[in-house]
């Protein structure tokens, strides 16, 4: 490393949070070394796959406001990259009236246009879905081209000349010296830096849990699970599919079209607890059958008999709030609880704020 240049921020993790952080830091003129234990665009964490839902439908006004901030940043990212990242398909919430009505109230308070429909009117508009309870639609929502988004973050960071990206490079140790840390990599090299960002999702408890304890902080109980949504072949044209969430009496369900792959449907956070380095990537048979039975009942626009299962990780906190905070030289970002991707450019800015000496967002502080 050049002796007269400041040490880079070491960002550990090349999923969407690490990529967004690298972009946000380099946009501020900061140097970044990003290290990722797997390959570029790998399938071992929480970020892979072609699509994610963007929606503003939260019952919590604070999260609704954050979606608006994130939407502005997604649009800026599209302009900066010349790439479409957000397809405005709209989103539909249906099911338990208490939840759907609370979402409607939060959207009203935020001035976000939305409409309520009867299940019959909703089914006439979106025949691929069977609706129950109360139904709410908002047009600012849709789907994120998630794999493209990660590449845009990484590419824009690289383009500044301030980012070095190392894939297939595991962090083997982080040694805390007080004012700075030494990050040791699997190839034996070591980097001493006053700022390391652990954007490692499900790996945060094992990588930095003890370091935080030594600094008088503690991660919440992050529950790491292997989720198993599936793509189902669609009977309908692509434009027939909004993003959707069913606030069901049992487990909540989400869905969206992935063009060329089918309609992705999954239960929210119901998978078995796993260690992120010890996964079989296989669906639990009973849960797979339960998902197919759900799809046969509530998603008539697809072939429920022909699922293609996907495996991904959730890193879930007890209250499903994110963890984005700093102690000394260490910034940690974890606990995205299956709903973080939509906030990615904003999370990158929040993490970059911390890494450059700013204060944490109170909601996400340790």
């Amino acid at each position: 490393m050049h002796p007269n240049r400041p040490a880079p921020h070491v960002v550990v993790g090349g999923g969407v949070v690490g990529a967004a952080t690298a972009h946000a830091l380099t946009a501020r003129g900061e140097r970044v070394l990003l290290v990722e234990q797997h390959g570029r665009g790998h399938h071992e964490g929480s970020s892979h796959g072609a699509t994610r839902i963007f929606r503003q439908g939260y019952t919590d006004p604070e999260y609704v406001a954050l979606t608006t901030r994130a939407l502005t940043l997604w649009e800026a990212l599209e302009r900066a990259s010349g790439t479409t990242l957000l397809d405005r398909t709209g989103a539909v919430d249906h099911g338990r009236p208490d939840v759907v009505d609370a979402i409607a109230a939060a959207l009203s308070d935020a001035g976000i246009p939305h409409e309520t429909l009867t299940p019959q009117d909703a089914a006439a508009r979106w025949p691929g879905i069977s609706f129950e309870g109360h139904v709410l639609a908002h047009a600012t929502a849709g789907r994120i081209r998630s794999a493209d988004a990660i590449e845009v973050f990484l590419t824009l960071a690289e383009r500044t000349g301030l980012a070095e990206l190392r894939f297939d490079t595991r962090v083997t140790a982080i040694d805390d010296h007080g004012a700075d840390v030494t990050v040791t990599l699997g190839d034996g090299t070591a980097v001493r830096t006053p700022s390391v960002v652990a954007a490692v999702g499900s790996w945060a408890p094992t990588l930095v849990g003890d370091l935080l304890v030594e600094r008088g902080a503690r991660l919440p109980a992050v529950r790491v699970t292997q989720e198993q949504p599936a793509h189902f072949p669609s009977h309908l044209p692509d434009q027939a599919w909004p993003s959707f969430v069913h606030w069901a009496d049992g487990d909540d369900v989400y869905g969206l079209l992935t063009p060329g792959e089918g309609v992705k449907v999954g239960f929210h956070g119901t998978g078995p607890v796993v260690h992120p380095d010890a996964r079989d990537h296989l669906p639990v048979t009973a849960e797979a059958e339960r998902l197919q039975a759900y799809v046969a009942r509530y998603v008539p626009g697809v072939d429920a008999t022909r699922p293609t299962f996907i495996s991904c990780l959730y890193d879930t906190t007890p209250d499903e709030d994110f963890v984005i905070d700093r102690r000394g030289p260490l910034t940690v970002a974890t606990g995205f609880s299956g709903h973080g991707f939509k906030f990615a450019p904003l999370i990158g800015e929040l993490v970059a704020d911390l890494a450059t000496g700013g204060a944490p967002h109170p909601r996400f502080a340790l």
Side-chain angles (χ1 to χ4, degrees):
M1 196 157 301
H2 195 286
N4 297 321
R5 299 174 73 188
H9 300 268
V10 177
V11 175
V12 187
V16 72
V17 173
T21 299
H23 170 253
L25 285 168
T26 55
R28 301 175 189 205
E30 302 284 332
R31 291 179 63 229
V32 170
L33 169 63
L34 182 145
V35 293
E36 162 58 54
Q37 64 178 329
H38 300 294
R40 188 164 179 152
H42 69 85
H43 284 219
E44 297 300 324
S46 303
S47 295
H48 63 277
T51 56
R52 288 293 187 281
I53 293 177
F54 180 85
R55 54 193 293 277
Q56 298 197 265
Y58 281 82
T59 59
D60 187 315
E62 193 160 23
Y63 274 105
V64 175
L66 291 169
T67 66
T68 298
R69 289 173 62 186
L71 181 56
T72 300
L73 291 171
W74 280 118
E75 291 168 343
L77 194 66
E78 288 184 311
R79 291 191 298 272
S81 62
T83 306
T84 299
L85 296 173
L86 195 56
D87 295 303
R88 304 291 184 95
T89 66
V92 188
D93 291 86
H94 71 107
R96 300 199 309 273
D98 58 321
V99 179
V100 177
D101 293 352
I103 292 170
L107 292 177
S108 293
D109 290 345
I112 295 169
H114 59 283
E115 57 181 322
T116 55
L117 301 92
T118 66
Q120 294 76 21
D121 288 342
R125 189 184 301 184
W126 299 290
I129 305 168
S130 179
F131 297 92
E132 67 171 6
H134 287 191
V135 186
L136 166 77
H138 66 293
T140 52
R143 65 172 177 263
I144 303 162
R145 300 184 185 186
S146 46
D148 292 347
I150 295 171
E151 268 305 303
V152 163
F153 284 129
L154 293 173
T155 300
L156 290 180
E158 285 177 303
R159 202 172 285 168
T160 64
L162 294 169
E164 179 187 351
L165 311 182
R166 294 191 202 173
F167 295 95
D168 300 302
T169 302
R170 181 181 280 270
V171 171
T172 58
I174 301 176
D175 295 306
D176 189 345
H177 310 302
D180 58 14
V181 294
T182 298
V183 181
T184 304
L185 307 177
D187 60 7
T189 60
V191 182
R192 190 153 180 163
T193 177
S195 169
V196 61
V197 175
V200 292
S202 298
W203 284 266
T206 51
L207 185 67
V208 298
D210 291 343
L211 274 175
L212 288 168
V213 168
E214 289 167 10
R215 284 187 169 265
R218 190 179 293 275
L219 286 173
V222 177
R223 185 171 180 266
V224 178
T225 56
Q226 179 173 267
E227 301 298 318
Q228 54 177 56
H231 282 114
F232 295 87
S234 169
H235 302 315
L236 301 171
D238 286 3
Q239 58 269 27
W241 294 102
S243 298
F244 57 94
V245 174
H246 183 187
W247 304 96
D249 285 331
D251 293 310
D252 300 323
V253 182
Y254 66 91
L256 74 164
L257 176 77
T258 302
E261 296 186 64
V263 177
K264 181 179 177 180
V265 185
F267 296 119
H268 176 66
T270 63
V273 173
V274 295
H275 188 284
D277 288 327
R279 296 165 58 195
D280 59 12
H281 297 79
L282 299 174
V284 177
T285 302
E287 287 294 278
E289 292 170 354
R290 188 166 74 97
L291 181 62
Q292 287 181 258
Y294 171 88
V295 169
R297 165 70 179 84
Y298 285 105
V299 195
V302 304
D303 184 348
T305 68
R306 293 170 57 206
T308 301
F309 283 95
I310 312 157
S311 177
C312 68
L313 293 176
Y314 268 27
D315 46 310
T316 304
T317 62
D319 56 8
E320 296 196 3
D321 277 348
F322 312 149
V323 177
I324 307 170
D325 204 354
R326 179 171 181 164
R327 287 294 182 275
L330 172 64
T331 303
V332 62
T334 187
F336 293 104
S337 304
H339 68 116
F341 204 111
K342 70 178 71 66
F343 300 102
L346 177 59
I347 291 167
E349 295 294 337
L350 294 176
V351 176
D353 287 344
L354 286 170
T356 54
H361 188 294
R363 181 78 179 249
F364 306 137
L366 285 162

